[in-house]
Amino acid sequence: MMRMERKTIRWQDMLMIPLFLLAATTIGVLFDAIGFPETNIVLVYVAAVLLVARFTHGLYYGLAASVIATFAFNYFFTDPRFTFAVSDTSYLITFAIMMFTSLITSALTARVKKSAREATERAQETQALYELTNRLSDAQSLEEIDAVAVESVSRTFSCQAAFLAFVRGVPEKTFLQYASGGVVHRELDPRDGVAHRLEYLRGDHVESAEFIEWPVYGREQILGVVRLPREGAPLSDHQQQLLRSMLESVAMAIDRLNAAQAQQRYREESRQERYRSNLLRAISHDLRTPLSGIMGTSEMIRDLSESSDRRYTLAKEIWSDADWLRALVENILSLTRLEDGSLHIHKQPEAVEEIVGSALGQMERRAPEYEIDAELPDALMLAPMDAKLIEQMLINLLDNAVKHTPVGGEIKICVEEKDGFAVFHVQDRGEGIRAEDLPHLFERFYTSQSRRADAKRGIGLGLSICDAIARAHGGSITAKNREGGGAEFTFTLPMEDKKNEQSA
């Protein structure tokens, strides 16, 4: 465990200097009384300096002990005694050797202690990072990761750290803090302003009234803030580097958890989408046969009845509703096939006039009360396309125009060639498109709430199918409101097949 310590004078270390030197002086007096030579007394003082350097924190205590030991030897054991005068100049050499030996011994001892302390700290750091990584790998939720981070940082730096999580860049209302009993939840002061402080952060941490805050950044955004209390000594450069490494491990764990959760959500959504597509495809196939029978029978009844007969009107309405259901079934089948890749686009040069004419013929049967105009180029216009899909696309757009346009309103198809594309415009003078609907028109199952009372409500597949067909052909589709009222849908088809060009 690493402690945040201030580099201040310790009275315990200061007390060791007189204690060891007093002991050395006492031993020296005994040696002098016994008659041992002065060199033995010098070695006792050197040993005292070595012990001071060993049991104190810092080089300066050993250096101070070296100087004091030299003067003590001069005062107590050289003639004239109990003075600092020197009667024999040879003692000066003794003093110098003693001072040099004491200083070197003290410096070497301090260096060895520093190396041992650094090795211990490195071992503690490695152990702390190892334990943090192991615990993070076992965490199964974001709260578990936050709790592991708080506990590991608190124990490593001997403090009560806290962790404030961010969700999509916004701090949560509660944070975790390490206490004597473990990790606890605390309410965040609404006036805290941590997001504002981090917004203007210029370094790697920011200081607030109570905490020193270290942000945790992920790959895309901020994930949280680790808070260390201001009380106690500031972190050293080495400790700051360790904290950065720990925060990087926490960020990687959170990013890994978010990625795993996103992947799980994607798998679930894909599975649900696959189930839904299979269900829609199965229902659509099952509806095809009875719808064909209903349409055929109703058409036969209509042909055998007079227009004034009630059965004629009933058969006509049955045929119309069955035809609407048949178109809906075809749209569902086309959408599911386009999405799962089972519907292949067979493009070949087709005359635009024939495709438009076929679509208009279909609409004449489905909505005979509407008159649809067409403006086509004078010259023959050929474009590579899947004729059946483009015809279905035109029918969807025209059907959409019919739903939103009163009888007698203008509905028109315009086709032109522009910048290497065949451009189709389907225009009407209906109710137009609400501004809030424009960004969502081509989304699946999106239906506008603005609808005439007598219009059939769809399920929001027609326009999404149009978008899928246009993109499958290498084109695009857009929608806008017309000046003077109404809507306009525009889709483009490349005039040249790029796949064929590349293969050639």
Side-chain angles (χ1 to χ4, degrees), residues 114-404:
K114 181 180 179 181
S115 299
R117 184 170 60 253
E118 290 177 351
T120 302
E121 290 179 354
R122 284 194 296 270
Q124 292 175 347
E125 293 168 8
T126 303
Q127 182 66 21
L129 287 175
Y130 176 76
E131 292 179 356
L132 174 63
T133 303
N134 280 347
R135 297 184 64 188
L136 289 175
S137 62
D138 295 334
Q140 300 296 323
S141 65
L142 181 60
E143 185 172 353
E144 289 184 19
I145 293 177
D146 298 345
V148 168
V150 169
E151 186 174 352
S152 297
V153 172
S154 300
R155 290 184 175 180
T156 301
F157 297 101
S158 302
C159 64
Q160 292 185 345
F163 187 91
L164 174 62
F166 278 59
V167 178
R168 290 185 290 275
V170 179
E172 292 189 335
K173 296 181 180 180
T174 60
F175 63 92
L176 299 179
Q177 186 169 13
Y178 185 77
S180 57
V183 179
V184 296
H185 289 267
R186 299 194 184 280
E187 292 290 335
L188 180 67
D189 188 347
R191 301 167 298 177
D192 186 274
V194 59
H196 178 74
R197 290 194 298 273
L198 295 178
E199 183 178 357
Y200 297 96
L201 178 62
R202 293 294 179 267
D204 52 7
H205 65 276
V206 61
E207 297 187 9
S208 64
E210 302 180 33
F211 303 98
I212 301 176
E213 298 168 332
W214 292 76
V216 180
Y217 291 107
R219 288 191 296 265
E220 299 178 355
Q221 60 185 354
I222 184 171
L223 303 175
V225 173
V226 170
R227 293 175 154 183
L228 302 181
R230 289 182 62 91
E231 60 186 22
L235 297 179
S236 64
D237 294 340
H238 195 69
Q239 290 173 326
Q240 291 184 18
Q241 184 61 39
L242 172 60
L243 181 58
R244 292 189 193 98
S245 299
M246 298 180 73
L247 298 185
E248 289 177 1
S249 298
V250 174
M252 291 176 61
I254 297 177
D255 280 337
R256 184 171 58 250
L257 178 64
N258 291 337
Q261 292 176 345
Q263 187 177 10
Q264 179 64 24
R265 288 194 300 269
Y266 174 76
R267 285 197 297 264
E268 292 177 356
E269 291 173 358
S270 299
R271 184 168 56 252
Q272 293 175 359
E273 187 65 28
R274 186 168 59 253
Y275 290 157
R276 182 169 59 180
S277 297
N278 293 337
L279 178 61
L280 289 174
R281 188 182 298 111
I283 294 175
S284 300
H285 277 294
D286 291 342
L287 289 176
R288 265 181 162 182
T289 300
L291 282 176
S292 299
I294 293 172
M295 290 180 66
T297 303
S298 61
E299 190 172 10
M300 182 180 64
I301 295 174
R302 186 181 60 182
D303 293 339
L304 296 175
S305 305
E306 298 292 335
S307 59
S308 58
D309 192 344
R310 291 180 57 188
R311 288 176 296 181
Y312 179 88
T313 303
L314 181 61
K316 182 180 178 181
E317 292 177 353
I318 292 174
W319 186 93
S320 177
D321 288 341
D323 185 58
W324 176 78
L325 285 174
R326 180 196 58 80
L328 180 61
V329 167
E330 292 296 331
N331 282 336
I332 293 174
L333 286 175
S334 297
L335 180 63
T336 55
R337 289 171 180 172
L338 282 170
E339 288 186 341
D340 61 19
S342 62
L343 180 62
H344 301 288
I345 305 297
H346 301 287
K347 291 194 291 184
Q348 59 183 4
E350 299 284 350
V352 172
E353 294 84 351
E354 294 182 4
I355 303 301
V356 173
S358 179
L360 292 177
Q362 291 285 341
M363 291 304 301
E364 186 176 359
R365 296 183 59 190
R366 300 175 63 173
E369 66 274 17
Y370 285 87
E371 183 177 347
I372 303 175
D373 299 326
E375 293 183 4
L376 304 175
D378 296 332
L380 178 65
M381 184 176 178
L382 297 176
M385 66 179 77
D386 188 313
K388 184 178 179 180
L389 292 179
I390 298 301
E391 180 180 341
Q392 181 182 359
M393 186 177 180
L394 285 172
I395 292 174
N396 284 345
L397 293 177
L398 291 172
D399 184 66
N400 187 72
V402 167
K403 289 178 181 178
H404 294 82

Side-chain angles (χ1 to χ4, degrees), residues 14 73 188 230 422 461 470:
M14 293 293 296
F73 176 75
L188 180 67
R230 289 182 62 91
L461 285 179

Side-chain angles (χ1 to χ4, degrees), residues 69-129:
T70 302
F71 281 100
F73 176 75
N74 179 29
Y75 186 82
F76 290 106
F77 300 105
T78 60
D79 295 327
R81 300 194 177 194
F82 307 112
T83 66
F84 292 106
V86 179
S87 59
D88 189 351
T89 56
S90 62
Y91 281 120
L92 295 177
I93 299 176
T94 302
F95 296 157
I97 294 174
M98 180 180 176
M99 176 71 74
F100 179 76
T101 303
S102 300
L103 290 176
I104 294 298
T105 302
S106 176
L108 291 176
T109 304
R111 180 176 297 181
V112 170
K113 283 179 57 181
K114 181 180 179 181
S115 299
R117 184 170 60 253
E118 290 177 351
T120 302
E121 290 179 354
R122 284 194 296 270
Q124 292 175 347
E125 293 168 8
T126 303
Q127 182 66 21
L129 287 175

